[in-house]
Amino acid sequence: MPELPEVQSTVDYLSSRLKGRLIKDCSILWARTIFTHNPTNFKKLIVGQRILEVTRRGKFIVISLGSQNASSTILVHLRMSGSVEVLPSSIARDPYDRVVIALDNKKEFRFNDVRKFGKIYLAHNPQSILGRLGIEPLSSEFSVQKLVEIIANKKGAIKPLLLNQTFIAGIGNIYADESLWLAKIHPKRSAASLKQNDFIRLHSAIRKVLQDAIELKGTDNGDDVVAGGMYQPNAYGREDLPCSRCNSKIIRIVVGQRGTHFCKRCQKFPQRIK
DNA sequence: CAAACTCCCTGTTAGC
DNA sequence: TGCTAACAGGGAGTTT
């Protein structure tokens, strides 16, 4: 499931292929993928627009469009199984292609999504959709102090807070587990129980895990559609396998309705915390 | 405010 | 062996 590193890799892939291209046509093969408009209007609004740049915010791919009279933004959220490609129009489509945007170079941008959870938005003001997102964990603004501020006064376990996109944008289930593993923090620890040392380790772990994963183009998850990812999780998806740090077994529990993997020896639950 | 649950989907897997 | 039912998963929205 694409998270920040996979989305960043996707943006890197798209940028050189889309930047400067003119949108010539658009086929919507699964209407509900387009979240903000009906297919007719969506097509009408994007055909004739030029793609100015492709960037990322949280887990969103941000495609900025412009023309003489208007500017707008396409936002793509891959959710569970979404992926994108830019291919020559002559190559046959995949049965799971949901939206195909034809470019002015005989190529097509294809949004592919087996489970149909992915969403494409179109907005004049992208902030209307992106505005709720929290801080970018790889930005310079994301300091230890900021992390403390974000988590301060929050109740409940630490892991669900890491997954909340309005606090920190881009962390999903894989990198939440990985960050907590690297920081040696139990996923069910209450946010309020974290000490300064924990914040320092967690802050550094989040950044290292995300950066490493970007360099490796994301996670090599058999289920993952993002091709080429070589990041090897240490906790996520490793139930019953040995911890790469201490050789103890990785166990799986459910936290906030999400599968959660951690090392019982490395990530101890503090004795007296309730 | 937090936590739990629902919904959207389909490929995979557990269980019979 | 073959089938079905349960499950996983991100995140928005709703209910408790």
Side-chain angles (χ1 to χ4, degrees):
Chain A
M1 53 305 315
E3 305 178 23
L4 188 154
E6 291 78 18
V7 177
Q8 185 62 53
S9 299
T10 303
V11 165
D12 293 343
Y13 164 87
L14 285 177
S15 184
S16 60
R17 290 168 173 81
L18 295 186
K19 203 170 172 178
R21 298 265 70 88
L22 195 65
I23 293 175
K24 303 287 277 186
D25 197 7
C26 175
S27 306
I28 292 156
L29 306 151
W30 182 255
R32 297 176 69 169
T33 295
I34 308 294
F35 192 72
T36 49
H37 295 74
N38 67 48
T40 312
N41 284 339
F42 182 83
K43 177 176 174 178
K44 213 176 281 178
L45 288 166
I46 67 164
V47 168
Q49 299 256 350
R50 195 167 295 278
I51 297 170
L52 304 178
E53 60 173 356
V54 184
T55 56
R56 180 189 62 75
R57 176 77 173 94
K59 300 178 197 172
F60 285 88
I61 300 165
V62 181
I63 303 173
S64 306
L65 308 180
S67 64
Q68 302 92 319
N69 29 17
S71 78
S72 54
T73 304
I74 294 175
L75 300 168
V76 180
H77 200 301
L78 302 171
R79 292 282 187 107
M80 287 292 294
S81 59
S83 67
V84 301
E85 276 192 301
V86 179
L87 294 173
S89 311
S90 55
I91 292 180
R93 286 179 188 169
D94 183 273
Y96 300 128
D97 284 342
R98 307 302 182 193
V99 175
V100 175
I101 295 176
L103 308 169
D104 59 351
N105 60 352
K106 297 193 165 117
K107 292 189 179 181
E108 293 176 343
F109 166 94
R110 296 179 182 174
F111 176 78
N112 186 287
D113 187 17
V114 171
R115 297 188 191 177
K116 300 178 176 173
F117 283 3
K119 292 279 175 282
I120 295 181
Y121 309 72
L122 178 67
H124 288 298
N125 174 18
Q127 279 307 110
S128 61
I129 293 151
L130 303 176
R132 296 172 170 180
L133 293 178
I135 194 166
E136 282 291 326
L138 293 180
S139 70
S140 53
E141 289 76 44
F142 183 62
S143 59
V144 174
Q145 183 53 35
K146 268 275 160 39
L147 179 63
V148 171
E149 285 169 22
I150 288 164
I151 292 177
N153 307 319
K154 299 290 192 306
K155 295 181 179 174
I158 181 64
K159 177 171 171 180
L161 294 181
L162 296 180
L163 293 175
N164 188 324
Q165 301 300 299
T166 66
F167 300 150
I168 302 172
I171 299 176
N173 209 31
I174 295 174
Y175 298 106
D177 280 0
E178 291 301 291
S179 298
L180 291 168
W181 178 86
L182 186 56
K184 299 186 180 178
I185 294 172
H186 193 292
K188 285 187 91 165
R189 279 238 350 234
S190 72
S193 77
L194 295 183
K195 305 287 190 296
Q196 182 68 11
N197 273 343
D198 297 314
F199 285 117
I200 291 170
R201 289 201 317 282
L202 181 56
H203 172 265
S204 130
I206 289 169
R207 289 172 74 105
K208 175 160 174 53
V209 160
L210 295 176
Q211 269 157 2
D212 286 356
I214 288 176
E215 276 175 34
L216 296 169
K217 298 196 180 302
T219 293
D220 177 27
N221 182 342
D223 191 44
D224 205 315
V225 209
V226 177
M230 294 294 286
Y231 181 88
Q232 306 281 340
N234 289 293
Y236 181 84
R238 289 181 50 80
E239 183 178 13
D240 292 339
L241 294 172
C243 169
S244 58
R245 207 162 33 199
C246 78
N247 227 31
S248 187
K249 251 190 194 178
I250 299 292
I251 57 175
R252 181 184 185 278
I253 59 173
V254 174
V255 181
Q257 291 87 241
R258 314 219 76 90
T260 297
H261 313 73
F262 70 104
C263 172
K264 206 171 185 177
R265 191 192 288 175
C266 291
Q267 296 165 269
K268 284 244 163 63
F269 195 78
Q271 308 288 333
R272 293 185 304 275
I273 304 295
K274 290 178 185 169

